[in-house]
Amino acid sequence: MKRAALAATLAVSSLLLFILADPGFHSVEKRIYSQYTVSLVEDFDLNVVNQVPGHEAWLLTRTLNYPDVHSNGTSVLWAPFFLAAKAMDTPEVRAPLYRTAQVIANVFRGLMAALLIWLLLRRFYSTGVSALTVLILLVGTPFFWHLVYQPENADITSLFWAVALLHLYCERARFKPVAFAFIFGVALFAGVAVKFDLIFNGLL
């Protein structure tokens, strides 16, 4: 019964968040993350010179790549959603589908992050306290803004990865020390590819 209620809550939340999500994409990153993903699924590379506006495309490195300082691991994680959008229609109407894929990917990972946070809290606190904490996270931090009004940002995906790393760390007793060190190290540095800030998870 509890699992059914949880599934129903996630389904309703997904629908509401998808409806609320702003297609205007108030992005502070000039859409660079989604441009990386489009480059990956269209050109099979992470050189966004074909995706950036024409007045910026002249700026290239010696290797003919568009220079950028943003981590592109997030874009790789979004790729399955963009590939599904690409398979659905023709190039002429693909851009709106990519935006829809972006919203779905962000909402999915945001809800998974909230669920993982709740499960993590349940290790130490009651169900009520855990649920209240997640609610405070939703309304008392920029979480909801990045989930709904800035779906192109990397913050939701990096939060999901960070909480997943914490879960993995809490399960360390299930592994032999050497095996855990290897698995956690691989997961941590995969997270660094998502967003460099996640290196601090390892330092902590």
Side-chain angles (χ1 to χ4, degrees), residues 62-82:
R62 291 181 179 180
T63 57
L64 302 182
N65 283 276
Y66 181 79
D68 183 69
V69 298
H70 295 87
S71 302
N72 51 34
T74 302
S75 305
V76 175
L77 294 176
W78 288 339
F81 297 89
F82 278 65

Side-chain angles (χ1 to χ4, degrees), residues 7-200:
T9 301
L10 288 174
V12 173
S13 299
S14 299
L15 179 61
L16 290 175
L17 289 171
F18 182 74
I19 293 173
L20 289 172
D22 188 349
F25 280 52
H26 300 283
S27 176
V28 296
E29 310 292 352
K30 296 184 178 180
R31 298 186 176 174
I32 191 66
Y33 293 116
S34 63
Q35 287 170 351
Y36 272 125
T37 313
V38 172
S39 178
L40 187 62
V41 300
E42 295 280 355
D43 304 331
F44 306 105
D45 60 34
L46 289 170
N47 183 7
V48 295
V49 66
N50 294 327
Q51 281 71 42
V52 296
H55 66 277
E56 296 180 14
W58 65 270
L59 186 61
L60 298 176
T61 65
R62 291 181 179 180
T63 57
L64 302 182
N65 283 276
Y66 181 79
D68 183 69
V69 298
H70 295 87
S71 302
N72 51 34
T74 302
S75 305
V76 175
L77 294 176
W78 288 339
F81 297 89
F82 278 65
L83 284 170
K86 180 181 178 181
M88 290 176 63
D89 221 321
T90 60
E92 290 75 16
V93 295
R94 197 170 288 163
L97 288 176
Y98 281 153
R99 288 199 173 194
T100 302
Q102 179 73 67
V103 172
I104 292 174
N106 205 57
V107 168
F108 172 76
R109 293 237 164 75
L111 287 175
M112 289 301 100
L115 176 62
L116 288 176
I117 291 171
W118 181 78
L119 292 173
L120 187 64
L121 291 169
R122 284 287 292 115
R123 294 172 177 268
F124 311 102
Y125 305 106
S126 66
T127 301
V129 171
S130 301
L132 179 61
T133 303
V134 172
L135 180 62
I136 292 173
L137 167 70
L138 291 173
V139 300
T141 73
F143 181 90
F144 187 78
W145 172 265
H146 290 305
L147 186 65
V148 173
Y149 293 104
Q150 211 174 65
E152 201 172 30
N153 204 289
D155 293 317
I156 293 297
T157 301
S158 59
L159 172 65
F160 167 78
W161 202 275
V163 179
L165 285 172
L166 288 175
H167 269 278
L168 179 59
Y169 183 78
C170 289
E171 295 291 337
R172 63 190 182 281
R174 296 174 179 267
F175 303 89
K176 293 182 179 180
V178 174
F180 174 77
F182 175 78
I183 294 171
F184 189 77
V186 171
L188 174 63
F189 283 98
V192 172
V194 173
K195 199 168 186 183
F196 184 77
D197 304 19
L198 292 184
I199 190 63
F200 295 106

